[in-house]
Every structure is written in C-alpha cells, then in structure tokens.
C-alpha cells in the first residue's frame, strides 16, 4: 500500500509540474477567466436583433463600431432602430444625420411601434398619423408608450459634426446618465474641431 501511495503522489506531482509548466493559460483559466468574461458580457448591450447579437458575441461592447454601406442600403433605418432600442434600454442617444430629419426618424419609430402592436395589419405612415390625429385616446396611448424612447433621443441634422460640441454634449449627458450612445449617419462624414 505504501507503494500505491507513493505512485499516486508521484502522479500528482507530475500533474502539478505539468500544470505549472503550462501555467500562464491554465492560471488565467483557473483564476481570471470567469471574472473577466463576466465583466465583458455585463458591459455588452444587445443590438435587439438576435443574429447580430450572435455575430457580435453577445451584443455591442463599449467601443467604436462603424457601419458602412452604400446609399439605399437603409443605414438610416437601421440606425433609427438602434436609436429606439438603445433609448428603450436607458441610453441617451445623440443621433447626428446630414440627410434625415426629426420627422422622418419619428415616422420610422411610429411605424415600428405600430407594427409591433398590430402585426396582422400593415398600415402606411399616413394611416397611422390619421389614426393618431383622429383619436385623442390613441394619441395618448402612443405618447405614453413612446415617451421613454423619444425623451432619450436627441436628433441633430447638420452638414458636419462639431467634435468639440459633441464631446461637451457627451460629458453633459454623462453627468445625469452613464449610458450614452452616439449615432452618426452621414453621406460623407466631416468632423470639425475648433
């Protein structure tokens, strides 16, 4: 029996030596991996689209993401969706565009909102506006359900983005809300700094 224990101890020692030889990655896996992975995924925010979340390994991380596409690829429809989704999740959204207006972004949000409520119908924006304007009760319902979204989206239509002003706005929003997203939809991005 003493031999068995010695053999067992030798095997354990060899395993320990092997483990120490492979220490950098093993040590990381044993000690830091779970904590770091947990922190990394806690910081990510869902894109609101399951396939995109999978492609981004769980959603958007707090980094710079660039979406590049040709005119007509519906970047602005995607960005208005992201603005709505982020605002609904507590973000202050600064949305800069050189060719969209507050009205057109609001129309996209209204159509999506109406579609979510009435998937079996597909009314036009004019039908939705008519429905809202003809019924104070419907208007009140839309205002109540859209307030958390629309009160967190700030839209600017500019020919250029003043980076100094943008930094000031981000810092101002961060004083009241730690979660700020900046969306820039430009035909050609022109950043100016004083």
């Amino acid at each position: 029996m003493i031999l068995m224990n010695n053999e067992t101890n030798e095997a354990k020692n060899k395993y320990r030596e092997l483990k120490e030889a492979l220490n950098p990655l093993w040590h990381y896996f044993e000690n830091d991996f779970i904590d770091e992975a947990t922190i990394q995924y806690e910081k990510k925010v869902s894109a609101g689209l399951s396939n995109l979340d999978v492609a981004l390994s769980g959603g958007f991380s707090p980094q710079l993401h660039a979406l590049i596409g040709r005119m007509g690829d519906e970047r602005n429809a995607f960005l208005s969706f992201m603005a709505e989704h982020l605002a609904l999740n507590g973000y202050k959204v600064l949305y800069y565009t050189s060719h969209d207006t507050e009205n057109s972004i609001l129309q996209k949000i209204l159509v999506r909102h109406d579609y979510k409520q009435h998937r079996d119908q597909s009314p036009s924006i004019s039908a939705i506006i008519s429905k809202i304007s003809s019924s104070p009760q419907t208007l009140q319902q839309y205002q109540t359900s859209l307030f958390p979204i629309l009160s967190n989206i700030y839209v600017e239509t500019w020919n250029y983005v003043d980076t100094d002003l943008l930094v000031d706005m981000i810092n101002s929003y961060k004083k009241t809300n730690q979660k700020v997203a900046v969306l820039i939809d430009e035909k050609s991005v022109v950043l100016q700094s004083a």
Side-chain angles (χ1 to χ4, degrees), residues 5-191:
N5 282 340
N6 283 340
E7 286 176 6
T8 304
N9 284 336
E10 279 182 41
K12 284 182 181 179
N13 286 337
K14 285 184 181 183
Y15 173 74
R16 194 173 299 121
E17 287 173 16
L18 177 63
K19 185 175 143 183
E20 287 173 7
L22 300 173
N23 191 19
L25 193 55
W26 180 260
H27 177 72
Y28 172 71
F29 179 71
E30 274 188 320
N31 298 314
D32 301 325
F33 172 72
I34 299 299
D35 292 337
E36 287 182 20
T38 302
I39 290 168
Q40 175 186 1
Y41 284 100
E42 284 176 351
K43 288 182 180 178
K44 289 197 171 197
V45 62
S46 167
L49 302 165
S50 58
N51 289 343
L52 185 56
D53 284 342
V54 168
L56 295 171
S57 298
F60 287 105
S61 54
Q63 302 173 20
L64 174 66
H65 297 276
L67 173 67
I68 301 169
R70 297 182 307 263
M71 291 303 291
D73 281 347
E74 296 302 323
R75 283 186 327 268
N76 58 354
F78 175 73
L79 288 176
S80 70
F81 167 80
M82 286 306 305
E84 177 183 356
H85 178 73
L86 291 166
L88 193 57
N89 285 289
Y91 280 78
K92 288 287 186 187
V93 179
L94 308 177
Y95 190 124
Y96 291 91
T97 177
S98 65
H99 54 279
D100 253 345
T101 64
E102 287 179 317
N103 189 308
S104 66
I105 292 167
L106 180 56
Q107 286 180 15
K108 290 177 182 96
I109 292 170
L110 274 173
V111 169
R112 259 192 309 278
H113 179 74
D114 193 79
Y115 176 76
K116 289 175 193 173
Q117 291 183 336
H118 309 100
R119 290 183 190 270
D120 56 330
Q121 305 164 3
S122 57
S124 65
I125 187 66
S126 59
I128 294 169
I129 291 170
S130 175
K131 178 171 57 172
I132 293 171
S133 63
S134 65
S135 168
Q137 189 176 23
T138 303
L139 176 61
Q140 180 62 43
Q141 289 171 342
Y142 273 78
Q143 287 174 334
T144 302
S145 59
L146 290 173
F147 179 79
I149 297 167
L150 301 179
S151 62
N152 284 318
I153 299 174
Y154 175 84
V155 178
E156 276 295 328
T157 304
W158 288 349
N159 291 329
Y160 68 92
V161 176
D162 183 333
T163 53
D164 293 331
L165 182 60
L166 178 61
V167 169
D168 289 344
M169 290 177 75
I170 291 170
N171 289 333
S172 172
Y173 277 123
K174 282 195 170 254
K175 288 178 184 174
T176 59
N177 186 347
Q178 290 299 309
K179 301 187 311 184
V180 177
V182 179
L183 304 174
I184 302 174
D185 185 17
E186 297 286 328
K187 291 182 209 172
S188 59
V189 177
V190 178
L191 299 175

